[in-house]
Amino acid sequence: MTEKATPSPEAIKAWARLMRVSRQLVESAEDALNEGGLPPLAWYDVLHELAEAGEGGLRPFQLIERTLFAQYNISRLLARLEADGLVERLKVADDGRGQTIRISAKGRETRRRMWVVYGRSIAELIGNKLSADELSTVSALLGRLRHPPVAD
């Protein structure tokens, strides 16, 4: 028989706050993008990763790893981005079924416009509410919770 781990009251409180605040922050950023007539935050995440990858683009499985979206979500999202001309699919020469996804010029411009609103949201939602030291502390603590942990 295995012993069940019971979280401490402090762990429960931290978990609940983390979940609520995370949801509130994302919803606020989404609202700002929507009010600006811009696509949802998920689009920004994919466009950002593709822009960071450069002209070589990324394979869909790499996008899944970098964004943490489920495979079926990435497939649908990429189809929408492609339909809007924000990304392009390229065949992989040595893999008949493989493809690489690359951001288009329109995708770069959309990402730039989204960043204006998204960046302002980040500043308003956390950047202006915490000191630089507090932001570093929060970042370090959250980095320790990631798997694998991320050092600052």
Side-chain angles (χ1 to χ4, degrees), residues 5-6 15 19 21 25 32 34 52 64 66 78 80 85 91 100 132 144 150:
T6 304
W15 176 265
M19 294 297 103
V21 169
L25 293 174
N34 188 41
E52 291 293 310
I64 292 167
R66 292 180 187 206
L78 289 175
R80 288 156 86 198
K91 298 253 186 239
T100 299
R144 288 176 40 199
V150 176

Side-chain angles (χ1 to χ4, degrees), residues 12 27 31-32 34 43 47 83 88 137-138 150:
I12 293 169
E27 286 174 357
D31 289 346
N34 188 41
W43 289 35
L47 293 173
E88 52 192 13
T137 298
V138 168
V150 176

Side-chain angles (χ1 to χ4, degrees), residues 4-20:
K4 292 185 179 179
T6 304
S8 67
E10 296 83 7
I12 293 169
K13 183 177 180 179
W15 176 265
R17 283 190 179 175
L18 182 61
M19 294 297 103
R20 285 185 187 111

